[in-house]
Amino acid sequence: MTTPPSPTFALRFTATPRGARLARRLASHQMDLWGWGYGTPAHDTVELVVAELAANAVTHGRVPGRDAELRLSAGDDGHVRVEVSDTRGERQPVPVRDDSPDAEADANADADGGRGLAIVTALATEWGTTTRAGAPGKTVWAVVACATLPAR
C-alpha cells in the first residue's frame, strides 16, 4: 500500500537565481505528484506563480547567507496556496497597477514595482503579504484556484 502524498510541501532554497529555479522545478514536480500533471492549467499556473514569487524573493528580499523558503499547500477545495518567504521584512512588494506606458517605464526604473506581481495578480484568486512566522522577514502568498484535488 502506498502512502498518499502530503498536502503540504516545504523547501528552503538559497536566495540566488539558481535557488529560485530549483524552487520552481520542485514545485512543478510536486504539482505532478499531487495529480495536476505537467502541462495542465493548474500545474502551469502554480509553476508560474512560484517562479515569480521566488524570483522576487531572491532579487528584492535577499540577505547574503540567509535562505528563502517555499511552501505549497493543496486544499481539498481545489485551491493551492503558494508561500515564499524571505528575510527582508522592510521591503514590501509593490505591484504595478496601471497598464499605461508610463507605468511600465516607472516599473523598469523602480525595481520594487515590476511586472511579476501583475502576473501573480492575474493568475491568483488573491495574494498578499504577512510577517514571517518564527523568523525575520516576510512571506508573500498567493492562492491559485485549481480543479478539485485529484483522487490520491
Side-chain angles (χ1 to χ4, degrees), residues 15 55-69 84-94 111-112 129-133 135-140:
N56 283 351
V58 304
T59 302
H60 307 296
R62 181 173 188 262
V63 172
R66 297 207 177 155
D67 290 338
E69 184 176 10
V84 177
S85 301
D86 64 53
T87 54
R88 299 271 317 259
E90 77 280 6
R91 293 198 67 184
Q92 295 295 312
V94 181
D112 289 335
T129 62
T130 187
T131 303
R132 190 174 184 185
K138 68 181 171 301
T139 297
V140 182

Side-chain angles (χ1 to χ4, degrees), residues 96-107 115:
V96 173
R97 298 188 191 277
D98 186 355
D99 290 331
S100 70
D102 292 339
E104 186 169 347
D106 291 344
R115 293 284 176 197

Side-chain angles (χ1 to χ4, degrees), residues 36-64:
W36 289 294
Y38 296 101
T40 62
H43 175 278
D44 292 351
T45 300
V46 169
E47 183 180 26
L48 185 54
V49 168
V50 169
E52 294 298 338
L53 295 183
N56 283 351
V58 304
T59 302
H60 307 296
R62 181 173 188 262
V63 172

Side-chain angles (χ1 to χ4, degrees), residues 18 37 71 77 97 109 113 120 127 130 132 141 145-146 149:
R18 188 175 190 177
R71 179 175 297 275
D77 61 355
R97 298 188 191 277
V120 172
W127 74 271
T130 187
R132 190 174 184 185
W141 57 268
C146 301
L149 188 62

